[in-house]
Amino acid sequence: MRHGLLVPVFLLIWVQVELCGFVQCQPPKVVNIAAVFTHNSVIGSSAKTGIEAAIDDINNDQSILKGIRLNLIMRDSNCSVFAGAVQVFQVLEQEVVAIIGPQSSSIARMISFIASGLQVPIVSFAATDPTLSSLQFPYFLRMTQSDLYQMAAIADLIDYYEWKEFISIYVDDDNGRNGMSYLEEKLSEKLKTVYKWPLPVKANSSVISGVLEKTKSFGTRVYVVHVNPDSGLEIFSIAKRLQMMTRDYVWLTTDWLSASLDSSLHMNHSTLNMLQGVVGLRQHVLDFEQKKAILLRKRNMIKEGLVSSCMNNYGFYAYDTVWVVARAIDELLKQNSTITFTFGKAQNSKQGSVLQLGKLKTFDDGPLLLEKLKQINFTGLTGKVQFDSFRNRVNNAYDVINIDQEAVKIIGYWSGHSGFSVIPPEKLNSETKSTSEMDHKLLNASWPGEEIVKPRGWVAATNNRPLRIGIPNRATYVEFVTEDHETHEIRGYCIDVFNALLRFLPYDVPHRFIPFGDGKSNPSYDELVRMVAEDVFDAAIGDITIITNRTRNADFTQPYAANGLVIVIPNRNSNSGAWVFLKPFTADMWGITAAFFIVIGLVIWILEHRINDDFRGPPRRQFITMILFSFSTLFKTNQEDTISTLGRMVMMVWLFLLMVITSSYTASLTSILTIQQLSSPITGMDSLITSNQPIGYQVGSFVGSYLTNSLNIPKSRLVVLKGPDDYAEKLSLGPTHGGVAAVVDELPYVNLFLSEWKDFGIVGEMITKNGWGFVFKKGSPLAIDVSTEILRLSESGDLEKIRDKWFCKDGCEAGRHVSDPYQLHLDSFWGLFFLCGSVTLTALIIFLLKTVRQFVRYKKKQRDLLSQYSSATSSTRCAQAVYSFFNFIDEKEEAIKKIFKQYEDPQSMTV
């Protein structure tokens, strides 16, 4: 009985299953897909051609979908988020299984909410906004290349050319803002400054012109333009009019420019000439035969007047997008032969309310189709087609293009895997690693103004915005830098150095000096450096010491003046020691005095030798007499008397000189040995720290903080001093009378102080060794160039000449160390030495003239009497004459006179 009832039941079930198989579960003959984009845009017009070509190729290809026709429903979003959303609602009512597009990231963001709710995948060929994430929009897939990669390519381009600043100009929408934010993030560790200038979505020429005019006031000359291809060329047209397409400017663009250029039917020469030197990106597309066939089809449509633009790479991405959807549908139908939609499934909220969305249906097989899309893996016109875990296209690559000589040239390629190369990515991947590493570069680019040398990418300043240079308005030591209160002229040693550097720079630096301080007291140099860091000044020029705390806030050039801290105290005397007797004279005084002793002895010997028996005898005796004679006069014990008139004249002057020198020496030595002078207990850095006596330093200087923080000297010991007059007063008073025991200051100031005040000197070694430098903002390329010119100025000797001009008008000397004030210098006695030397030289000349005259007379007499016996040559006679002259001088005066008498009375001569 039971078995009899089961048979009809099974028969009924079997009939229902068979009916389902033949009626309801039959594969569909038509599958609807939608394409929503802006038809009359640069990207949309190419995409339309690519989509239509793909639909034709798929429907004519028997290897895919196998008789199922792919029906395309196209809608025009008209660049409007609202219109795009309305169009999406309309196509969703027609049971589409996938949406191709949109090209706008803003529209994609809006319709992704709708499509995700209805389980309809969206595959976009042009939405590049990197924030369209798979977590927020699980049914959104990106067939084009995300701006994550495009901005990485731009970042690598900026880094490749070593630019440190850039100005971004972008459309103020989701795509523009998010793309530029990612670019800034990629370069955050390498760049110093990014100036961002957004444009309204539909900016007119006056708005664009205003933005570009503002950017000209900055020193940066590297521009990154990320706008829409439909209106981007107007930016360059305005830039050309504003003379911003000249040398020193750099223009980098994202792929919108290549899309615009590739779409133009007839790119005129003026447009390409306007874009001279622009470097941009183009999405890389393989060169397949199928691509050429599509381009031929496009050309035929142009000839027939059906379209008015060429096809850019976005058209090929749209072509591959349709094939991706078709392949996924094919795989879906192989696994599940039906495509079903259900009313109301996604319209019920969690609270149980029902959303009235008209005829919208949920695509039941949407999750399965999404999985098939994620598994797609084939090679299309645009290269390898595959999605990563975030549903973004993998294997991203770009062409690097350059507009040169009215042509678009490829100067290299960029890939997310290999970076820059002159080899196309698809070939580079097959090369060996060593070859790849060798090809990570670009070909030489041409730049605006037809420059072939890479622009610096910045200018120091312009005439409209000159460099703002802060200078310390000093009240003391004004020789270094200050403002003249009457003429308001900025002058000084530091200013002359800076102006000399500007003459060597290969570019102009318009600038204006801005005094910092009231001129009544020295300003704080730490505050001046801080103002440069805070962009109040662009630079600071002056006697600014390079120290660690300041380099954290700003960049310094190479030192242009050596510097260091030294200790100044009153001159003091050490009145003990084995060699104290040498202290009354300086070394040069001792040297010239000793030389005169020898010269006077030699001259007296010459003058007395012929007439004074005390100066005759064996050579050894004569030499000793000559050496000891002048020294014995010092003690009035000389045994030899001077007979000649000339000798007595020399001795008179010499004895007068000795009297002055000996009396001065005695007085100085007595003072050194007996007079107690004021002295400082500070002899160097160690005693400076351990002493408890007050120490002075210059107002506005870093010395106070250095003594406190680095040497741990209590602030209570430090006394702020205004300048050199204050130094002299406080040092002279000493610590017991309200003064200071020492002053610590920088060496250039101390040298200038000691050149005017002789009663003070440097003690100990230099505490620190640093220098003065010019200050610029962090990362300023001008600091590097100025540093280079400082080295060149130093090597040429011009830096030393500038220093001599200001501080060595009467001759330069190194910093004077502490010495005895009672020490006698040659400067005090050079008049006496000159008088003594003049008289001695005069006496010697008179003697020589007299002797030569006598010798000539002697030789004449001799020649007259003995000429008949002479047969020697002229050379022999010359040698004999010289020899005879020295013999003549060595003879006594009486003997010579006797010979003259014999020559006058020939009868007395024996034959």
Side-chain angles (χ1 to χ4, degrees), residues 635-843:
F635 310 103
K636 300 181 178 61
T637 60
N638 50 306
Q639 303 297 320
E640 301 83 4
D641 293 327
T642 53
I643 300 175
S644 67
T645 304
L646 293 176
R648 290 177 178 179
M649 182 178 65
V650 170
M651 283 299 298
M652 179 180 65
V653 179
W654 171 243
L655 290 175
F656 176 72
L657 174 64
L658 283 182
M659 180 190 69
V660 175
I661 290 178
T662 53
S663 59
S664 300
Y665 175 86
T666 303
S668 177
L669 183 61
T670 303
S671 300
I672 292 173
L673 293 175
T674 60
I675 297 177
Q676 297 296 321
Q677 303 177 62
L678 294 174
S679 64
S680 171
I682 296 175
T683 58
M685 184 178 66
D686 293 336
S687 57
L688 180 78
I689 298 172
T690 57
S691 172
N692 59 359
Q693 294 190 349
I695 301 169
Y697 70 94
Q698 185 181 173
V699 61
S701 171
F702 75 98
V703 176
S705 60
Y706 175 80
L707 295 176
T708 302
N709 299 329
S710 299
L711 301 184
N712 298 318
I713 295 177
K715 288 185 178 180
S716 58
R717 290 182 56 195
L718 303 182
V719 179
V720 180
L721 303 177
K722 296 179 181 180
D725 293 338
D726 210 8
Y727 288 8
E729 179 184 352
K730 296 298 183 182
L731 286 171
S732 299
L733 289 174
T736 57
H737 296 88
V740 296
V743 170
V744 178
D745 206 349
E746 298 172 66
L747 183 60
Y749 301 129
V750 170
N751 283 337
L752 199 58
F753 168 70
L754 295 181
S755 67
E756 299 180 6
W757 301 86
K758 306 296 184 182
D759 296 335
F760 308 95
I762 299 171
V763 68
E765 298 296 329
M766 192 179 294
I767 299 176
T768 62
K769 293 183 179 180
N770 40 37
W772 286 347
F774 300 138
V775 187
F776 294 90
K777 291 187 291 187
K778 273 288 186 184
S780 172
L782 190 59
I784 300 174
D785 288 355
V786 172
S787 293
T788 303
E789 300 310 325
I790 287 175
L791 296 176
R792 184 179 302 177
L793 204 65
S794 177
E795 292 170 359
S796 66
D798 291 339
L799 201 60
E800 190 71 17
K801 292 177 182 177
I802 297 174
R803 188 182 78 89
D804 293 346
K805 168 190 169 183
W806 281 94
F807 308 114
C808 301
K809 297 176 182 178
D810 299 324
C812 265
E813 60 175 320
R816 185 177 69 252
H817 281 255
V818 171
S819 62
D820 293 317
Y822 296 94
Q823 197 170 41
L824 300 176
H825 297 264
L826 181 61
D827 295 344
S828 303
F829 299 93
W830 74 268
L832 276 175
F833 281 111
F834 177 76
L835 177 63
C836 182
S838 300
V839 171
T840 302
L841 181 62
T842 301

Side-chain angles (χ1 to χ4, degrees), residues 398 400 410-415 418-425 428 435-436 438-443:
Y398 289 89
V400 182
I410 296 178
I411 61 173
Y413 305 90
W414 180 90
S415 169
S418 57
F420 290 120
S421 173
V422 294
I423 301 176
L428 184 65
T435 304
S436 300
M438 291 174 59
D439 290 319
H440 287 188
K441 58 182 182 297
L442 298 173
L443 299 176

Side-chain angles (χ1 to χ4, degrees), residues 415-524:
S415 169
H417 299 291
S418 57
F420 290 120
S421 173
V422 294
I423 301 176
E426 61 273 10
K427 294 182 180 180
L428 184 65
N429 293 334
S430 62
E431 299 286 338
T432 62
K433 184 176 181 181
S434 59
T435 304
S436 300
E437 291 173 348
M438 291 174 59
D439 290 319
H440 287 188
K441 58 182 182 297
L442 298 173
L443 299 176
N444 293 332
S446 176
W447 304 99
E450 297 187 2
E451 286 288 322
I452 59 174
V453 179
K454 182 201 74 172
R456 295 190 309 273
W458 59 272
V459 293
T462 63
N463 292 325
N464 294 331
R465 187 183 182 277
L467 201 70
R468 301 163 301 171
I469 301 178
I471 61 106
N473 191 10
R474 296 190 59 90
T476 59
Y477 296 118
V478 295
E479 293 87 350
F480 293 105
V481 58
T482 194
E483 178 188 25
D484 191 299
H485 298 299
E486 295 181 358
T487 63
H488 299 289
E489 177 189 3
I490 306 299
R491 57 183 178 80
Y493 162 69
C494 304
I495 300 301
D496 282 2
V497 171
F498 182 70
N499 289 334
L501 294 172
L502 293 185
R503 290 194 292 270
F504 281 99
L505 289 176
Y507 46 85
D508 293 331
V509 184
H511 61 277
R512 61 189 179 97
F513 293 121
I514 305 174
F516 172 67
D518 55 11
K520 299 178 181 178
S521 62
N522 296 335
S524 170

Side-chain angles (χ1 to χ4, degrees), residues 100 215 258 294 375 395 455 502 518 520 722 739 783 816 831:
I100 295 174
T215 63
S258 61
I294 296 173
Q375 295 169 10
N395 196 28
L502 293 185
D518 55 11
K520 299 178 181 178
K722 296 179 181 180
R816 185 177 69 252

